[in-house]
Amino acid sequence: MNKYFAIGIICLAALFSLRASLIKDTQSRRLEILLLGHDSQHHNSEKFAEIISQEFFKNGINISYTTNVNDLNTENLSKYDGLMIYSNHEQITATQEKALLDYVKGGKGFIPVHCASFCFQNSAAYIDMVGGQFKTHKTGDFSATIVDAQHPVMEGITSFSTWDETYVHDKIAKDIHVLTERVEGDLHEPYTWVKNYGKGKVFYTAYGHDERSWKNPSFLKLLENGVLWAVNDEAKKEWEKISKPAPEYTDAKLPNYEKRPGGFKLQAALNPAESQLMTQVPVDFKLELFASEPDILKPIAMAWDERGRLWIVETVDYPNTVRDVKGEGHDRIKICEDTDGDGKADKFTIFADKLNIPTGIVFAKGGVIVAQAPDFIFLKDTDGDDKADIRETIISGWGTFDTHAGPSSLHYGFDNKIWGTVGYSGYNGTVGGKATKFGQGAFRFDSDGKNLEYLGGTSNNTWGLGFSENNDVFLSTANNTHSAFLGIPSTYLNKIGAPVNEAIDKIDGHYAMHVVTKNLRQVDVFNGFTAAAGHNLYTARNFPKAYWNRIAFVNEPTGRVVHQAILEPSGSGFKEKDGWNLVASADEWFGPVQTEVGPDGAVWVLDWYNFIIQHNPTPPGFENGKGNAYVNPLRDRVHGRIYKVVYKKAKPSSIKSLDKNDSKSLLNGLQSDNLFWRMTAQRLIVEKGDKTLAPDLYKMIGDAKVDELGINAPAIHALWTLYGLGMYATSEAFLVAVHALHHPSAGVRKAALQVLPNNSATLAAIHGAGLLKDRNLNTRLAAFLRIADLPLSPSLANELIAAQKDSINNGDRWIKEALKITISKHVKAINASKIPIAKPVVKAKADQVVIIKPIVNAMKFDKKNFTVKAGTTVELVFDNIDFMQHNLLILKKGSMDKVGAAADKMAQDPKGAAMQYVPKMPEVLFYTPLVNPEAKFKLRFKVPDVLGDYPYICSFPGHWRIMNGVMKVIK
């Protein structure tokens, strides 16, 4: 055993020696509580849910959060042991009311909290079940007066004081049993009570307006006791038997980016069974282990072959063991197989080894393409022994100076190209004999490595890419952009000179992620998405319909969660809504890095399993490594898990494997309800070049049926399969695609216009089908962009100009830009002589030029202060040589904390990035916008006349506390 792995085994033994003993009975279950909140900042139910989730989780209580009153239905409520309400919904329907009342009467727990006593004002039965209704309130500090200290709910509770709203109630039921009162003079207001309701039990407390009560230990204990009392005896007995892992904590040298008092301690590693006990999935689902150490180590990427076998990329060299000599790495590609059908891998085959920090894998050309900066390599087994005997470099030039900012998220696309993302390590190489350089964003290339194409820039390090079933492209990016949409590839924007970062829009609709651990460790974007990775949609049909082609999974390893990003159409583009989590863990080692729909329709999760997640900047007291990550011996090299999130009512997959030599098998795959099998069948047909399947593909395309979502997925893939086979040069295939321009499915119409050849006949067909006025704006956008590729047509000029004036088009974020691109191609330029030539504005020379740069990876300015004279004109050149966006704000004297706090709050606004994270307040005197990496901005301003120290900061989320300085104004 070499030295490298010997060290790893020693670390493993040490870590496991810390583990606390656990209860062995794991057959019971946690309590499941549904919390109904609302979309309002007053009585912030979302924050309330986060706090109680973190408080109750380790004690075996799951909190599932919803704001949808329609979730009050018999089927949904039956899944939960108790219903908690913290919201101000005014109305309840008769059906919802019956479901709720029957639920409690039937023996389940009901826990209305605070404002829940003013919910559903149209229901007298609801008010009676609660036991009273809020009437009025003032505010203030007051103490709880305990009325019945012997009641089980009051166990461990002594009188406590808190600031809260001083509720006065009305319509108080006669059958309530009061536990605490709020005493004010002669007033003895019932404040916490219980009651029976049919076979069920009700616990109510009026406490809980905001965090002053929510974080009060006595309030939390009271609420937890109330939950445990309200649920029925059977549920509580099951809960009492569950194992509750209690990992040990030890002192260790750990970064404290948040500057928390006392810092952090090192949690001991848990085995997979223990880790699962500290991990939550939705109530209808279960978490199943597929593989773990020692069979696998540090999985960073995965893909499945046509036989349904999982291939993973293992990297123990990551992040700092960067090899100068190829073939000396310790990383591997491993095939993981379940040969006996029990749902767990039992056969592990090393397909390729001696790799060094590979970060992505995709199947192509009978083998796999692996991202391993500085190269992309092609690996293939030619003799059937599952060992790679071909190893070829197909692309070179990927940056290696930061190992977590290289290429990743490789996917086979609808267009039969390989798609991927790259971070700020970027690409600097040769494409088609031409020097090419680009940074963070999305790219694609042919499966032989040729025609590498940059598609759009992002705001930061990028690790997420995913396709919808209609071929819409989404991304996730670190540092406060966990969901983004690729609206117009930069190849089109180049036609009008628009910058590459306008190709992709931030669409996330919320800031916070929702964790179930109190020990959150992050560098910046605190409590938000600072390390988002992956953006794969649910593109099968085994999960409930709410997931289909609508929910994307975004991993946040620093938060130990797999987030559910709900994607909804917004004009020609999309917007994202908060869907909370698919997976959330209180195990501080759980580190999801890739989540994707597998061949079985389940969602598979790669768990990096590492206590140390953060890469950089290098914190005080640590050194920087060769991979640009701070060196920490606690970075784990021996753990790793693969899980499946399985819907309990899922039907078995009808396809287990595809045979590339069996046409019937491939055609069956194209018609699967799982995108994985459709895309795999498409790839195999294209790679084989089997044009004999054309008649069958024509038939699929001609099928006018659509599913419940209005999609005909087989037709979409059939169109792109013919494209990959080069069939549209034939008249029959051309006519089939032209006919598909009229298909009832918007996705089919879009695919048809995208695959047709670049000729005048295509232009006429798209125009004739009326797609420039398509009722689906996403398809209309694709039509305008496609027109920009086609031969010049002066006859379109008037129609395009009219389209530009259309209020729908002009009001749409993406169509408006697409029209500019198309018009630049098809509308003749206005007589240049009629356009007035703007005279350049001559600016007076500045009295002083100040150049400020960020320190790379340090999140600091290179100048801690600079001096200027009062009343002079200064030109400040902000040269962003760092690898992420920064800005620079000059503030009024003594206002840094105030502006910083406003910037923190602004970070939680979905529109904050568009506002450059610059708070609109008089304390901000001068500012730059967010400046992209390798870009500069010149800020010219007149220095204030008042002498003194003026702070300057970067207001990007979380940066201002350490990225600041002082402008000294003197005479």
Side-chain angles (χ1 to χ4, degrees):
M1 180 180 292
N2 61 42
K3 180 180 178 182
Y4 188 98
F5 279 102
I7 294 173
I9 295 300
I10 292 171
C11 291
L12 175 65
L15 290 168
F16 271 104
S17 70
L18 297 173
R19 198 185 309 124
S21 61
L22 304 171
I23 303 169
K24 299 302 180 184
D25 177 16
T26 62
Q27 301 304 308
S28 300
R29 64 175 183 83
R30 301 166 63 91
L31 287 179
E32 298 286 354
I33 305 298
L34 178 64
L35 168 57
L36 175 64
H38 54 198
D39 294 319
S40 173
Q41 292 301 307
H42 182 69
H43 291 136
N44 190 335
S45 60
E46 180 180 295
K47 194 67 179 177
F48 173 71
E50 291 176 352
I51 290 172
I52 66 169
S53 291
Q54 294 169 29
E55 185 68 25
F56 297 170
F57 188 80
K58 283 190 175 181
N59 199 29
I61 301 173
N62 290 346
I63 302 294
S64 296
Y65 180 70
T66 182
T67 60
N68 188 354
V69 182
N70 290 326
D71 284 336
L72 300 182
N73 63 75
T74 301
E75 180 182 3
N76 185 56
L77 288 173
S78 67
K79 306 166 187 174
Y80 298 94
D81 301 303
L83 172 69
M84 184 181 295
I85 295 182
Y86 184 92
S87 59
N88 285 120
H89 298 286
E90 293 184 1
Q91 302 290 309
I92 188 171
T93 68
T95 302
Q96 293 162 353
E97 180 190 60
K98 185 176 188 307
L100 173 55
L101 299 178
D102 288 350
Y103 170 78
V104 182
K105 286 178 183 176
K108 296 298 185 74
F110 182 45
I111 308 100
V113 178
H114 192 61
C115 52
S117 61
F118 202 58
C119 241
F120 306 140
Q121 298 165 38
N122 64 321
S123 173
Y126 170 81
I127 296 167
D128 176 67
M129 182 170 68
V130 172
Q133 185 178 52
F134 159 78
K135 183 179 181 182
T136 61
H137 76 77
K138 295 180 181 179
T139 61
D141 291 286
F142 58 92
S143 298
T145 299
I146 296 175
V147 176
D148 183 358
Q150 303 305 311
H151 194 277
V153 168
M154 302 308 296
E155 182 179 353
I157 306 293
T158 57
S159 180
F160 62 94
S161 296
T162 186
W163 181 99
D164 215 311
E165 293 178 332
T166 55
Y167 270 25
V168 174
H169 299 86
D170 192 12
K171 303 177 183 178
I172 296 176
K174 295 180 180 180
D175 59 347
I176 66 170
H177 181 76
V178 179
L179 303 180
T180 73
E181 293 177 335
R182 181 179 64 83
V183 178
E184 183 178 352
D186 294 333
L187 174 68
H188 287 249
E189 182 68 24
Y191 231 67
T192 302
W193 62 69
V194 294
K195 64 175 290 185
N196 295 318
Y197 191 79
K199 297 180 180 178
K201 290 181 285 187
V202 178
F203 166 84
Y204 168 76
T205 183
Y207 290 103
H209 175 70
D210 63 21
E211 294 183 53
R212 285 168 283 191
S213 284
W214 302 339
K215 291 186 176 182
N216 185 305
S218 295
F219 168 78
L220 290 168
K221 177 64 175 173
L222 178 68
L223 184 59
E224 183 177 14
N225 285 358
V227 169
L228 294 175
W229 177 84
V231 299
N232 61 38
D233 292 343
E234 180 182 351
K236 188 172 182 181
K237 287 178 182 177
E238 290 294 300
W239 169 80
E240 288 172 340
K241 293 187 292 184
I242 63 171
S243 299
K244 298 172 186 175
E248 292 183 2
Y249 287 84
T250 57
D251 292 327
K253 184 180 180 182
L254 297 168
N256 187 0
Y257 293 105
E258 295 98 332
K259 298 182 180 180
R260 293 192 184 185
F264 299 93
K265 290 189 175 184
L266 171 66
Q267 180 208 291
L270 301 175
N271 66 39
E274 295 163 347
S275 184
Q276 284 178 266
L277 289 171
M278 296 182 69
T279 303
Q280 179 179 358
V281 296
V283 68
D284 279 342
F285 297 79
K286 54 185 177 179
L287 188 67
E288 296 182 349
L289 181 71
F290 181 73
S292 64
E293 72 277 352
D295 296 314
I296 65 165
L297 307 171
K298 313 319 299 176
I300 199 170
M302 64 180 167
W304 294 267
D305 63 17
E306 60 266 27
R307 293 164 56 185
R309 301 183 303 173
L310 179 67
W311 296 43
I312 63 169
V313 175
E314 296 181 325
T315 171
V316 293
D317 283 346
Y318 181 89
N320 279 325
T321 311
V322 180
R323 309 282 178 170
D324 295 321
V325 179
K326 295 180 181 180
E328 288 190 352
H330 286 101
D331 299 338
R332 306 178 293 196
I333 308 297
K334 184 177 287 182
I335 306 172
C336 309
E337 296 182 70
D338 171 16
T339 63
D340 58 9
D342 68 349
K344 295 184 178 180
D346 49 59
K347 181 180 179 182
F348 302 89
T349 306
I350 297 174
F351 176 74
D353 59 6
K354 298 182 179 179
L355 302 173
N356 180 224
I357 311 186
T359 51
I361 182 172
V362 64
F363 283 90
K365 296 178 62 181
V368 292
I369 296 171
V370 175
Q372 180 187 252
D375 303 324
F376 278 15
I377 58 175
F378 175 68
L379 302 169
K380 186 175 181 179
D381 164 31
T382 61
D383 57 13
D385 65 351
D386 282 334
K387 306 282 186 181
D389 41 53
I390 291 178
R391 186 179 298 214
E392 301 173 343
T393 297
I394 61 171
I395 306 179
S396 292
W398 302 98
T400 59
F401 66 88
D402 189 304
T403 54
H404 92 312
S408 64
S409 297
L410 300 186
H411 288 72
Y412 190 92
F414 283 80
D415 56 1
N416 303 295
K417 290 178 176 284
I418 307 302
W419 290 58
T421 60
V422 66
Y424 48 69
S425 287
Y427 177 80
N428 189 356
T430 302
V431 178
K434 183 180 179 181
T436 303
K437 182 179 180 180
F438 57 81
Q440 54 214 28
F443 60 85
R444 66 180 174 183
F445 59 91
D446 294 340
S447 58
D448 59 5
K450 297 179 181 178
N451 298 315
L452 177 63
E453 178 185 3
Y454 186 44
L455 296 169
T458 54
S459 62
N460 210 271
N461 198 13
T462 306
W463 271 76
L465 174 75
F467 302 109
S468 75
E469 295 179 38
N470 285 326
N471 195 16
D472 303 302
V473 183
F474 300 92
L475 302 96
S476 65
T477 298
N479 300 91
N480 205 32
T481 300
H482 68 269
S483 190
F485 171 60
L486 174 59
I488 300 179
S490 59
T491 45
Y492 288 101
L493 294 172
N494 292 340
K495 300 176 188 290
I496 57 172
V500 295
N501 61 357
E502 290 188 6
I504 298 168
D505 265 6
K506 173 184 172 74
I507 63 169
D508 40 27
H510 61 104
Y511 173 86
M513 62 173 175
H514 310 293
V515 304
V516 294
T517 174
K518 296 180 182 179
N519 298 328
L520 193 61
R521 303 188 309 279
Q522 296 181 295
V523 168
D524 54 15
V525 195
F526 301 128
N527 300 306
F529 291 79
T530 186
H535 202 291
N536 291 303
L537 282 80
Y538 187 79
T539 48
R541 295 294 183 267
N542 292 54
F543 278 23
K545 184 179 176 181
Y547 282 86
W548 300 355
N549 200 47
R550 179 175 177 260
I551 291 180
F553 306 112
V554 180
N555 306 289
E556 226 309 347
T558 69
R560 318 297 176 180
V561 300
V562 179
H563 172 62
Q564 296 185 149
I566 301 173
L567 302 172
E568 296 184 339
S570 178
S572 63
F574 294 85
K575 60 183 178 181
E576 185 259 4
K577 287 178 56 179
D578 189 356
W580 283 62
N581 301 316
L582 179 73
V583 185
S585 184
D587 180 356
E588 294 172 50
W589 286 65
F590 179 69
V593 291
Q594 184 180 357
T595 299
E596 196 161 350
V597 179
D600 56 355
V603 171
W604 296 53
V605 181
L606 288 187
D607 178 6
W608 178 251
Y609 207 75
N610 207 319
F611 187 78
I612 305 296
I613 295 293
Q614 205 67 50
H615 194 85
N616 51 33
T618 302
F622 291 83
E623 295 181 355
N624 206 34
K626 196 170 183 180
N628 205 32
Y630 76 88
V631 177
N632 191 326
L634 295 175
R635 289 189 187 273
D636 178 76
R637 300 183 186 277
V638 295
H639 291 85
R641 288 90 192 260
I642 303 169
Y643 294 105
K644 292 191 293 183
V645 181
V646 178
Y647 181 53
K648 293 176 181 177
K649 299 178 182 178
K651 64 184 187 301
S653 174
S654 60
I655 300 177
K656 303 298 182 185
S657 66
L658 297 179
D659 184 348
K660 63 183 178 181
N661 297 313
D662 182 347
S663 297
K664 184 177 180 181
S665 171
L666 297 179
L667 291 170
N668 188 39
L670 274 183
Q671 297 174 86
S672 170
D673 63 4
N674 187 335
L675 174 65
F676 166 77
W677 289 117
R678 295 195 302 272
M679 194 68 82
T680 301
Q682 175 183 323
R683 174 176 62 82
L684 294 175
I685 294 170
V686 170
E687 289 174 353
K688 188 178 179 182
D690 189 356
K691 296 183 180 182
T692 65
L693 297 180
D696 297 285
L697 300 176
Y698 299 158
K699 185 177 180 181
M700 286 186 201
I701 297 167
D703 182 359
K705 292 194 296 290
V706 297
D707 67 8
E708 295 177 64
L709 304 183
I711 298 172
N712 186 321
I716 294 172
H717 286 273
L719 283 161
W720 283 109
T721 302
L722 289 171
Y723 179 82
L725 293 171
M727 293 292 292
Y728 292 112
T730 68
S731 59
E732 187 173 7
F734 180 86
L735 291 173
V736 168
V738 168
H739 182 72
L741 295 173
H742 302 271
H743 199 282
S745 168
V748 174
R749 298 195 299 275
K750 181 170 79 168
L753 67 88
Q754 290 174 328
V755 301
L756 284 166
N758 292 342
N759 57 36
S760 297
T762 293
L763 180 63
I766 293 173
H767 184 258
L771 296 188
L772 299 184
K773 296 181 180 179
D774 197 281
R775 60 189 178 276
N776 181 281
L777 296 185
N778 185 261
T779 297
R780 188 186 299 189
L781 167 65
F784 281 122
L785 291 175
R786 192 71 183 92
I787 292 292
D789 293 327
L790 300 178
L792 187 65
S793 174
S795 64
L796 271 180
N798 290 335
E799 185 172 349
L800 292 173
I801 292 173
Q804 195 174 38
K805 296 176 181 179
D806 182 285
S807 60
I808 294 176
N809 293 336
N810 194 44
D812 186 272
R813 158 69 178 98
W814 295 107
I815 291 178
K816 180 169 59 176
E817 294 302 310
L819 271 164
K820 292 178 186 177
I821 296 165
T822 306
I823 285 174
S824 72
K825 170 72 176 286
H826 292 278
V827 180
K828 292 183 178 180
I830 300 173
N831 190 332
S833 64
K834 296 181 180 179
I835 302 176
I837 299 174
K839 294 181 179 180
V841 177
V842 179
K843 292 185 178 180
K845 184 178 180 180
D847 298 306
Q848 182 180 354
V849 176
V850 178
I851 300 175
I852 296 182
K853 303 176 182 178
I855 299 174
V856 176
N857 291 326
M859 213 182 291
K860 295 179 180 179
F861 293 116
D862 66 344
K863 285 183 172 63
K864 193 64 179 173
N865 57 72
F866 63 93
T867 301
V868 295
K869 291 185 177 180
T872 60
T873 299
V874 171
E875 182 174 274
L876 189 153
V877 180
F878 184 44
D879 183 4
N880 189 6
I881 62 172
D882 202 4
F883 308 119
M884 67 175 297
Q885 289 180 319
H886 295 292
N887 60 14
L888 191 151
L889 284 60
I890 298 175
L891 315 175
K892 287 184 177 180
K893 295 188 295 182
S895 67
M896 187 173 78
D897 287 346
K898 181 178 180 180
V899 176
D904 284 347
K905 186 174 182 180
M906 192 175 192
Q908 301 179 35
D909 184 343
K911 298 179 181 179
M915 298 169 67
Q916 310 299 307
Y917 296 120
V918 178
K920 291 184 177 181
M921 53 197 305
E923 286 78 7
V924 178
L925 298 177
F926 319 108
Y927 64 90
T928 76
L930 290 170
V931 180
N932 289 325
E934 300 185 5
K936 297 179 182 179
F937 187 88
K938 294 180 180 179
L939 175 66
R940 184 174 287 225
F941 60 92
K942 184 178 180 182
V943 178
D945 293 326
V946 179
L947 309 186
D949 292 346
Y950 291 77
Y952 58 90
I953 65 171
C954 169
S955 63
F956 192 93
H959 290 192
W960 67 273
R961 289 175 177 83
I962 58 176
M963 198 168 182
N964 56 63
V966 173
M967 179 179 77
K968 295 180 176 295
V969 178
I970 62 174
K971 288 185 179 180

